[in-house]
Amino acid sequence: MMDEQKTKRPVARLAILLGLSTALAVGPVSAALAQASDAPQEQLPSFAPMAEKVLPAVVNISVVEKAGTSPVVDEDDQDDQDDPSQQFGPGATPFDDMLRHFFEQQQPGRQAPGPKQQMMALGSGFIIDPSGYVVTNNHVVGDAAKVTVVFQDGSEHKAKIVGKDAKTDLALLKIDAPKPLPFVQWGDSDKERVGDWVMAVGNPFGLGGTVTKGIVSARSRSIDNSSYVDYLQIDAAVNRGNSGGPTFDLAGQVVGINTAIYSPNGGNVGIAFDIPSDTAKAVIDQIKANGHVDRGYLGVEIQQVTPDLAAALGIAKDGPQGALVAAVTHDGPAAKAGVKVGDVIRQVDGKPIAKTRDLPRIIAETAAGKSVHLSVLREGKPVELDATIGHLDEAKLASADGSDAQTDDAALGMTLSPLNPSMRSRLHLAHDATGAVITHVENGSAADSIGLEGGDVIEKIDGQTVHGPDDAKSLFATAEKTPSKPILLLVDRHGAKSFIALPQTPDAG
């Protein structure tokens, strides 16, 4: 009886409040409320028919790692031991620290001293071909000594690794199938909208055949500094063991592969990242055909066009879009096409480069030997170029890869010195590198405000080549005649080149 009273009181109080609200409401509001109550309520979709259809094709992946292999350690196993002031390295953020590739690891219990036992890892995968091809994550299989695919009915099948691709974190396995196997089909991840329903299936914590539902929370997420994948973000519950498992659209087609989660504690907090199916299918098709992935190569180092850089380049009206070329590989495809340092690549075969990472992804997906059309801005003017894509050799990765006299620029807060053979060697520069090396940066100066430091080499100032400190001083003097405009510097820091917009007052930085 007491429980009934406790449950009825809030309802009664709510009824009084509702009655008061109704009494105070004017006619149009009352009519709107009445119409809303009469409107048909949209029913949430049932995922049962789809789950029944796809579950037989989703498998568990059991991995025995090679003896002596260093196991992947989840960050949360070490969080309590780390000095908080040392958690984040240069350029890192708390987001990076909480980003986890996730799979379930099992370590044997304490044993008597002796040889270390092999580690066990559990992940997920899905069959894409009735002959027995299985897709999973590269970080699940790793340097596996043995891979076993476990079906929903508990049957086990030894698997062979057909090929892996670390850059997209994908792997393809093959099992011998005595009969055609159930399989799922690729969907079109490009059609997925923010807010669309999705369903994830996997093996969280070793609990195989687990289904969770959610929506697409965001598109085109960049994680792990990857230049080759624009991830889908979903809020379906995924945890350790879900790695490599599929995410389905309402048609029961694979639109993503569960790869990483954002988590402060190692558990699900509703933020997970999927490799889009459009990216995964292209990679898996290459692995299936060749056992590896061939990527296109352009031969440039690039960086993002920030608003400050756009202003310094004279392209502010075009907006901070495109990929700014910081270096061109000698005799590479870009050099042969006429691409120059300072060019801003805006399109490749009509595909816009909205973000810097769009360029390496598009080039990587282009077959070697194919001719592509580049639309670039050079000194604010459009230039059209044609380049023949080369083959990306892993040894030559491109990124997203005199006297001792000194001169001071007091206004900008730098002391500059000439380059000599000894200096080039210490700074890991090419033997013919030119420029002016920064030997001192004054605290609080304009140079300090943008992170310039001793050892940086200024190679260009507003597009003009710097041969030494005297050149730099003269070019700075010219630039200072228009103090409202940032000065565009091309800086080499230990062999890595980048453009920097230098404001002419510290506060502007």
Side-chain angles (χ1 to χ4, degrees), residues 361-391:
R361 179 174 54 81
I362 291 172
I363 296 299
E365 293 174 355
T366 305
K370 181 182 178 182
S371 178
V372 296
H373 187 74
L374 306 178
S375 298
V376 308
L377 288 177
R378 179 175 296 165
E379 298 178 354
K381 299 178 181 178
V383 176
E384 306 297 322
L385 303 170
D386 291 309
T388 300
I389 298 301
H391 176 264

Side-chain angles (χ1 to χ4, degrees), residues 242-259:
N242 274 105
S243 275
T247 291
F248 297 96
D249 61 15
L250 289 180
Q253 295 182 324
V254 178
V255 292
I257 300 173
N258 303 148
T259 296

Side-chain angles (χ1 to χ4, degrees), residues 58-62 122-125 148-152 202-203 206-209 241:
V58 181
V59 297
N60 302 338
I61 308 294
S62 175
L122 302 177
S124 304
T148 304
V149 172
V150 184
F151 282 67
Q152 299 291 330
N203 182 32
L207 302 172

Side-chain angles (χ1 to χ4, degrees), residues 192-198 213-221 231-237 247 268-274:
E192 289 300 297
R193 303 166 301 172
V194 173
D196 279 345
W197 283 105
V198 290
K213 58 111 174 121
I215 61 169
V216 176
S217 304
R219 294 178 52 90
S220 298
R221 290 298 198 204
Y231 293 87
L232 293 177
Q233 179 184 324
I234 66 172
D235 72 345
T247 291
N268 167 63
V269 295
I271 299 179
F273 301 98
D274 278 16

Side-chain angles (χ1 to χ4, degrees), residues 30-59:
S30 300
L33 289 172
Q35 290 176 3
S37 63
D38 293 338
Q41 299 296 315
E42 184 177 350
Q43 296 295 319
L44 293 178
S46 171
F47 290 87
M50 180 168 61
E52 184 178 358
K53 171 186 172 183
V54 303
L55 270 171
V58 181
V59 297

